PDB file of all heavy atoms in Angstrom:
ATOM      1  N   PRO M  15      -9.323  27.834   3.497  1.00  0.00           N
ATOM      2  CA  PRO M  15     -10.425  28.016   2.545  1.00  0.00           C
ATOM      3  C   PRO M  15      -9.971  28.104   1.099  1.00  0.00           C
ATOM      4  O   PRO M  15     -10.638  27.617   0.202  1.00  0.00           O
ATOM      5  CB  PRO M  15     -11.075  29.319   3.019  1.00  0.00           C
ATOM      6  CG  PRO M  15     -10.790  29.351   4.489  1.00  0.00           C
ATOM      7  CD  PRO M  15      -9.412  28.771   4.625  1.00  0.00           C
ATOM      8  N   ALA M  52     -27.609   0.910 -40.455  1.00  0.00           N
ATOM      9  CA  ALA M  52     -26.901   1.774 -41.397  1.00  0.00           C
ATOM     10  C   ALA M  52     -25.510   1.241 -41.726  1.00  0.00           C
ATOM     11  O   ALA M  52     -24.989   1.461 -42.818  1.00  0.00           O
ATOM     12  CB  ALA M  52     -26.801   3.193 -40.841  1.00  0.00           C
ATOM     13  N   LEU M  63     -27.586  -5.948 -33.737  1.00  0.00           N
ATOM     14  CA  LEU M  63     -27.107  -5.504 -32.427  1.00  0.00           C
ATOM     15  C   LEU M  63     -25.868  -6.292 -32.013  1.00  0.00           C
ATOM     16  O   LEU M  63     -24.960  -5.752 -31.376  1.00  0.00           O
ATOM     17  CB  LEU M  63     -28.211  -5.669 -31.376  1.00  0.00           C
ATOM     18  CG  LEU M  63     -29.387  -4.694 -31.463  1.00  0.00           C
ATOM     19  CD1 LEU M  63     -30.448  -5.036 -30.422  1.00  0.00           C
ATOM     20  CD2 LEU M  63     -28.917  -3.255 -31.277  1.00  0.00           C
ATOM     21  N   LEU M 127     -14.371   1.790 -41.044  1.00  0.00           N
ATOM     22  CA  LEU M 127     -14.028   3.094 -40.483  1.00  0.00           C
ATOM     23  C   LEU M 127     -14.667   3.295 -39.109  1.00  0.00           C
ATOM     24  O   LEU M 127     -14.088   3.947 -38.229  1.00  0.00           O
ATOM     25  CB  LEU M 127     -14.470   4.206 -41.442  1.00  0.00           C
ATOM     26  CG  LEU M 127     -13.681   4.279 -42.757  1.00  0.00           C
ATOM     27  CD1 LEU M 127     -14.296   5.325 -43.695  1.00  0.00           C
ATOM     28  CD2 LEU M 127     -12.215   4.628 -42.485  1.00  0.00           C
ATOM     29  N   PHE M 134      -9.825   4.083 -31.702  1.00  0.00           N
ATOM     30  CA  PHE M 134      -9.209   5.335 -31.288  1.00  0.00           C
ATOM     31  C   PHE M 134      -9.823   5.813 -29.977  1.00  0.00           C
ATOM     32  O   PHE M 134      -9.114   6.233 -29.053  1.00  0.00           O
ATOM     33  CB  PHE M 134      -9.416   6.379 -32.393  1.00  0.00           C
ATOM     34  CG  PHE M 134      -8.481   7.546 -32.321  1.00  0.00           C
ATOM     35  CD1 PHE M 134      -7.128   7.368 -32.558  1.00  0.00           C
ATOM     36  CD2 PHE M 134      -8.947   8.815 -32.030  1.00  0.00           C
ATOM     37  CE1 PHE M 134      -6.248   8.447 -32.501  1.00  0.00           C
ATOM     38  CE2 PHE M 134      -8.078   9.895 -31.970  1.00  0.00           C
ATOM     39  CZ  PHE M 134      -6.729   9.710 -32.211  1.00  0.00           C
ATOM     40  N   GLU M 152      -5.691  11.738  -5.373  1.00  0.00           N
ATOM     41  CA  GLU M 152      -4.554  12.492  -4.843  1.00  0.00           C
ATOM     42  C   GLU M 152      -4.949  13.894  -4.395  1.00  0.00           C
ATOM     43  O   GLU M 152      -4.352  14.455  -3.477  1.00  0.00           O
ATOM     44  CB  GLU M 152      -3.448  12.574  -5.899  1.00  0.00           C
ATOM     45  CG  GLU M 152      -2.734  11.255  -6.122  1.00  0.00           C
ATOM     46  CD  GLU M 152      -1.685  11.318  -7.213  1.00  0.00           C
ATOM     47  OE1 GLU M 152      -1.721  12.267  -8.022  1.00  0.00           O
ATOM     48  OE2 GLU M 152      -0.826  10.417  -7.260  1.00  0.00           O
ATOM     49  N   TYR M 167     -17.102   8.352 -10.490  1.00  0.00           N
ATOM     50  CA  TYR M 167     -18.229   7.588 -11.019  1.00  0.00           C
ATOM     51  C   TYR M 167     -19.492   8.434 -11.128  1.00  0.00           C
ATOM     52  O   TYR M 167     -20.393   8.098 -11.901  1.00  0.00           O
ATOM     53  CB  TYR M 167     -18.481   6.326 -10.187  1.00  0.00           C
ATOM     54  CG  TYR M 167     -17.945   5.085 -10.848  1.00  0.00           C
ATOM     55  CD1 TYR M 167     -16.621   4.690 -10.661  1.00  0.00           C
ATOM     56  CD2 TYR M 167     -18.739   4.321 -11.686  1.00  0.00           C
ATOM     57  CE1 TYR M 167     -16.117   3.555 -11.278  1.00  0.00           C
ATOM     58  CE2 TYR M 167     -18.248   3.190 -12.322  1.00  0.00           C
ATOM     59  CZ  TYR M 167     -16.935   2.814 -12.111  1.00  0.00           C
ATOM     60  OH  TYR M 167     -16.436   1.691 -12.739  1.00  0.00           O
ATOM     61  N   VAL M 211     -14.795  21.992 -24.586  1.00  0.00           N
ATOM     62  CA  VAL M 211     -15.005  22.704 -23.313  1.00  0.00           C
ATOM     63  C   VAL M 211     -14.173  22.063 -22.204  1.00  0.00           C
ATOM     64  O   VAL M 211     -13.525  22.756 -21.407  1.00  0.00           O
ATOM     65  CB  VAL M 211     -16.498  22.691 -22.928  1.00  0.00           C
ATOM     66  CG1 VAL M 211     -16.710  23.341 -21.563  1.00  0.00           C
ATOM     67  CG2 VAL M 211     -17.334  23.403 -23.979  1.00  0.00           C
ATOM     68  N   TYR M 263     -25.865  -3.867 -16.110  1.00  0.00           N
ATOM     69  CA  TYR M 263     -27.019  -3.116 -15.628  1.00  0.00           C
ATOM     70  C   TYR M 263     -27.093  -1.684 -16.152  1.00  0.00           C
ATOM     71  O   TYR M 263     -28.003  -0.940 -15.775  1.00  0.00           O
ATOM     72  CB  TYR M 263     -27.033  -3.102 -14.103  1.00  0.00           C
ATOM     73  CG  TYR M 263     -27.387  -4.442 -13.513  1.00  0.00           C
ATOM     74  CD1 TYR M 263     -26.422  -5.222 -12.876  1.00  0.00           C
ATOM     75  CD2 TYR M 263     -28.678  -4.950 -13.616  1.00  0.00           C
ATOM     76  CE1 TYR M 263     -26.746  -6.461 -12.340  1.00  0.00           C
ATOM     77  CE2 TYR M 263     -29.012  -6.180 -13.089  1.00  0.00           C
ATOM     78  CZ  TYR M 263     -28.040  -6.934 -12.446  1.00  0.00           C
ATOM     79  OH  TYR M 263     -28.362  -8.165 -11.927  1.00  0.00           O
ATOM     80  N   ILE M 344     -34.176  -2.531 -11.230  1.00  0.00           N
ATOM     81  CA  ILE M 344     -32.872  -2.054 -11.713  1.00  0.00           C
ATOM     82  C   ILE M 344     -32.190  -1.185 -10.665  1.00  0.00           C
ATOM     83  O   ILE M 344     -30.970  -1.289 -10.443  1.00  0.00           O
ATOM     84  CB  ILE M 344     -33.034  -1.280 -13.036  1.00  0.00           C
ATOM     85  CG1 ILE M 344     -33.484  -2.241 -14.146  1.00  0.00           C
ATOM     86  CG2 ILE M 344     -31.731  -0.594 -13.442  1.00  0.00           C
ATOM     87  CD1 ILE M 344     -33.892  -1.562 -15.423  1.00  0.00           C
ATOM     88  N   PHE M 407     -26.745 -15.071 -16.768  1.00  0.00           N
ATOM     89  CA  PHE M 407     -27.046 -14.690 -15.389  1.00  0.00           C
ATOM     90  C   PHE M 407     -26.079 -15.365 -14.423  1.00  0.00           C
ATOM     91  O   PHE M 407     -25.546 -14.733 -13.504  1.00  0.00           O
ATOM     92  CB  PHE M 407     -28.478 -15.063 -15.009  1.00  0.00           C
ATOM     93  CG  PHE M 407     -29.549 -14.585 -15.949  1.00  0.00           C
ATOM     94  CD1 PHE M 407     -30.854 -15.051 -15.831  1.00  0.00           C
ATOM     95  CD2 PHE M 407     -29.274 -13.667 -16.954  1.00  0.00           C
ATOM     96  CE1 PHE M 407     -31.859 -14.616 -16.682  1.00  0.00           C
ATOM     97  CE2 PHE M 407     -30.268 -13.226 -17.826  1.00  0.00           C
ATOM     98  CZ  PHE M 407     -31.558 -13.716 -17.680  1.00  0.00           C
ATOM     99  N   MET M 416     -16.295 -14.600  -7.209  1.00  0.00           N
ATOM    100  CA  MET M 416     -14.839 -14.521  -7.258  1.00  0.00           C
ATOM    101  C   MET M 416     -14.351 -13.207  -6.653  1.00  0.00           C
ATOM    102  O   MET M 416     -13.362 -13.159  -5.916  1.00  0.00           O
ATOM    103  CB  MET M 416     -14.343 -14.635  -8.700  1.00  0.00           C
ATOM    104  CG  MET M 416     -12.831 -14.573  -8.843  1.00  0.00           C
ATOM    105  SD  MET M 416     -12.275 -14.251 -10.527  1.00  0.00           S
ATOM    106  CE  MET M 416     -12.761 -12.537 -10.739  1.00  0.00           C
ATOM    107  N   MET M 418     -15.733 -11.447  -4.358  1.00  0.00           N
ATOM    108  CA  MET M 418     -15.843 -11.494  -2.901  1.00  0.00           C
ATOM    109  C   MET M 418     -14.612 -12.158  -2.286  1.00  0.00           C
ATOM    110  O   MET M 418     -14.045 -11.662  -1.300  1.00  0.00           O
ATOM    111  CB  MET M 418     -17.103 -12.252  -2.490  1.00  0.00           C
ATOM    112  CG  MET M 418     -17.349 -12.238  -0.987  1.00  0.00           C
ATOM    113  SD  MET M 418     -18.562 -13.445  -0.442  1.00  0.00           S
ATOM    114  CE  MET M 418     -17.633 -14.976  -0.635  1.00  0.00           C
TER     115      MET M 418
END
Side-chain angles (χ1 to χ4, degrees):
L63 288 176
L127 291 174
F134 199 67
E152 288 177 343
Y167 258 87
V211 176
Y263 288 108
I344 293 170
F407 308 169
M416 180 196 71
M418 185 195 72

